[in-house]
Amino acid sequence: MRKIFLISLIFILALTFTAQADEIKIGACIYRFNDAFMLRFRNAMTDEAAKLGAKIELSDGRDDQNVQNEQIDAFINDGVNVLIINPVDRMASQPIIDKAKGKNIPVVFINREPAPEMLNSYEKAFYVGAKAEESGTEAGELIAEYFKKNPEADKNHDGKIQFVLLKGQNGHQDMILRSKYSVEAIKNAGFEPVELASAIANWDKLQAMQIMNAFTMAIGPENIEAVIANNDEMALGAIEALKNNDYNKGDKNFYIPVVGVDANASALEAMDKGEMLGTVLNDADNQGIAAVRLANALAANGDIKAIGYEITENKYIWIPYQKVTRGEKK
Ligand code: GAL
Ligand code: CA
């Protein structure tokens, strides 16, 4: 009896040890936890890691590259098998890649795209994200489509669209390309875009609200025909400011179409209430799942072609964006 007990005990111990030894450890560095879109992204990654039986640890870079660099060192010292990096400063990715390469640790960048030459400096460096220009184009198309359906949206009847632009963090590919391509799309749809004002609001709702308050005061809400925000949080901040001016509260004569990007729950709610025109789905679920599957396969020396997402140029997984609107404005 005792012998059987001992044997089974040894067996159980052996099992746990092998399980522990085989378990993939993922260290995931997020630029900032306090970001509505990155929260969706984090949840998707945690869920997928659980499904795969991988261990994932997440760190909050608190929007400080130095803090994040220390967290990367700590993960490496902890013996993680793979890193997922959402860099604070995407242009500071080279030292991160060099460090990972020195330890032969694969690294999957997410959401903030390092320059191609950086990614190309290490065969185990990858990027999972969405094409920024696509989201810009789709946001601009939402505005153009609205003006086609609602000619009275051209309040000063000059055939042009007078807009204000709220931009994300400086240097972010989504800030640069969404800004550029949303304006481009308005042009391509046959309208002349006129930028009344633009400012950086760092993806942040409060900053956007303050900036939009200043814009409405300086320009007059009656002279603004559209608001283009690089993300939903800033769109919602702008809507707060408009509501303070008795705009976007349900009266069609006091309405300015506002578009964002992400399709966060709070934006969909604002759209349901008729406060916000539309958004573009930034697919956090698929980006998070793809990043974790890729990381897991890299760490396990598995087949990265079998993870269910196409890898282009041996480097990139691109998740498509998608326009989102609610019903028709009357
Ligand atoms: C963008 C997203 C923003 C913000 C940013 C962080 O893709 O649209 O809301 O989360 O990433 O890098
Ligand atoms: Ca006009």
Side-chain angles (χ1 to χ4, degrees), residues 7-318:
I7 289 172
S8 40
L9 186 67
I10 289 167
F11 186 68
I12 288 165
L13 280 177
L15 260 183
T16 18
F17 276 123
T18 33
Q20 268 166 7
D22 285 338
E23 191 174 56
I24 301 283
K25 268 182 20 186
I26 304 172
C29 298
I30 304 303
Y31 95 96
R32 191 164 79 109
F33 274 6
N34 186 16
D35 175 303
F37 172 71
M38 289 315 300
L39 174 61
R40 287 168 49 203
F41 209 125
R42 280 193 280 142
N43 289 337
M45 291 200 296
T46 315
D47 289 353
E48 186 61 15
K51 271 188 202 148
L52 297 176
K55 192 174 171 226
I56 190 165
E57 238 180 86
L58 293 118
S59 70
D60 179 1
R62 304 195 294 274
D63 211 10
D64 183 333
Q65 190 60 61
N66 294 322
V67 169
Q68 183 172 71
N69 289 343
E70 283 167 19
Q71 293 168 340
I72 293 170
D73 289 340
F75 276 145
I76 291 176
N77 288 336
D78 260 16
V80 296
N81 307 106
V82 59
L83 288 163
I84 295 178
I85 306 286
N86 173 214
V88 175
D89 175 2
R90 69 194 183 99
M91 285 310 169
S93 299
Q94 190 65 57
I96 300 172
I97 293 174
D98 294 344
K99 200 177 281 173
K101 190 177 178 183
K103 304 270 179 189
N104 195 30
I105 299 173
V107 50
V108 177
F109 287 89
I110 54 167
N111 172 261
R112 293 169 165 218
E113 193 183 336
E117 59 271 23
M118 296 178 187
L119 289 176
N120 286 330
S121 70
Y122 181 28
E123 74 281 7
K124 291 183 187 168
F126 293 83
Y127 180 69
V128 175
K131 294 211 164 154
E133 59 268 37
E134 206 177 290
S135 51
T137 301
E138 292 181 5
E141 283 171 0
L142 288 173
I143 293 286
E145 283 156 16
Y146 179 78
F147 272 72
K148 285 206 171 129
K149 277 187 215 140
N150 302 274
E152 73 283 2
D154 179 11
K155 291 172 188 160
N156 63 355
H157 314 288
D158 66 351
K160 303 172 186 176
I161 299 179
Q162 276 77 13
F163 68 95
V164 301
L165 176 62
L166 294 165
K167 300 190 209 174
Q169 252 166 328
N170 205 13
H172 197 305
Q173 80 278 346
D174 290 340
M175 171 272 196
I176 300 166
L177 297 172
R178 284 178 190 166
S179 299
K180 177 169 177 223
Y181 282 90
S182 46
V183 176
E184 206 66 21
I186 291 175
K187 253 187 242 166
N188 290 341
F191 293 99
E192 188 182 325
V194 179
E195 185 184 296
L196 299 176
S198 78
I200 289 177
N202 295 308
W203 310 121
D204 187 76
K205 183 174 174 181
L206 185 64
Q207 285 183 43
M209 187 187 90
Q210 287 161 346
I211 289 166
M212 193 66 199
N213 264 332
F215 283 172
T216 43
M217 223 175 316
I219 302 165
E222 68 283 4
N223 298 314
I224 301 171
E225 295 177 341
V227 178
I228 302 170
N230 285 167
N231 79 341
D232 283 348
E233 283 295 296
M234 297 190 293
L236 292 169
I239 288 166
E240 280 308 306
L242 292 178
K243 282 160 79 182
N244 291 340
N245 286 278
D246 287 325
Y247 270 73
N248 294 39
K249 285 171 132 181
D251 183 339
K252 211 193 168 241
N253 295 316
F254 296 91
Y255 174 80
I256 300 173
V258 178
V259 292
V261 175
D262 282 338
N264 288 340
S266 45
L268 299 177
E269 234 172 77
M271 285 160 58
D272 286 339
K273 283 195 254 168
E275 298 171 355
M276 179 164 165
L277 174 66
T279 186
V280 178
L281 171 68
N282 195 0
D283 190 344
D285 287 346
N286 273 305
Q287 291 176 57
I289 294 169
V292 166
R293 283 193 194 167
L294 177 59
N296 189 63
L298 286 165
N301 263 321
D303 182 6
I304 61 170
K305 291 201 180 79
I307 61 170
Y309 292 90
E310 191 196 353
I311 302 177
T312 56
E313 299 171 66
N314 258 325
K315 285 275 164 225
Y316 297 96
I317 295 180
W318 295 115

